[in-house]
Amino acid sequence: MEPRIDLLQNELGTKLAKRMFAVHSLVQQTGLPAATQNLVMLRASQINGCGHCIDIHAKEAAAEGETTTRLNLVAGWRHSTVFTEEEQAALAMAEEATRLADASEGVSEETWARAAKYYNENQLIGLVTLIAMINASNRIAVTLNQLGGSYEPGLMAATISS
């Protein structure tokens, strides 16, 4: 399989990617921990089967100091001991918000209350926005057949900022 369109080699695609990156920059200003952001983006990308985004977020998280053990256990976070209660709440939110069609209520009141126990209103807005943006990114990358495996940490930020 070959990529259908290389988003970052297309003028409009680059503009759109820059706008999405700008939203992510705002999320970083909410106080939502960077490690939590990385875990959430990785988990949503796993659910959506986006190899391109899994590659990016696993490598970026590792470059930022995330451990191999935690990265390897993201898909099985419920059955591991390496995530904090706060991170588990964010991962639960990521799963339910990514799998909206799988549950009639979308994000459950229980999951929302669990997240609200650990995160303030700005952080919750950041978390919900982050989940929405990574889901959009996954859908773009999968539809355009962007492939995982060759990403180098820092490449996305360097490309978007140029």
Side-chain angles (χ1 to χ4, degrees), residues 6 8-9 14 17-18 21 52 55-57 59-61 63-64 146-147 149-162:
D6 184 340
L8 297 179
Q9 296 299 316
T14 300
K18 285 182 179 187
F21 194 76
H52 177 71
D55 191 31
I56 290 171
H57 299 299
K59 288 176 179 174
E60 289 291 350
E64 292 176 21
Q146 304 297 295
L147 305 175
S150 62
Y151 182 78
E152 296 295 327
L155 183 61
M156 184 67 70
T159 302
I160 297 300
S161 65
S162 61

Side-chain angles (χ1 to χ4, degrees), residues 33 35-36 39-40 66 70 77 82-93 114 118-119:
T36 301
L39 296 172
V40 163
E66 190 58 79
R70 283 168 47 94
W77 64 268
V82 298
F83 301 104
T84 66
E85 289 184 19
E86 292 89 341
E87 291 167 336
Q88 291 175 28
L91 288 164
M93 177 83 77
R114 185 176 176 193
Y118 298 109
Y119 301 107

Side-chain angles (χ1 to χ4, degrees), residues 111-131:
T111 296
W112 181 263
R114 185 176 176 193
K117 177 179 172 183
Y118 298 109
Y119 301 107
N120 66 37
E121 194 170 274
N122 283 345
Q123 291 169 323
L124 287 168
I125 291 168
L127 178 60
V128 170
T129 302
L130 181 70
I131 295 165

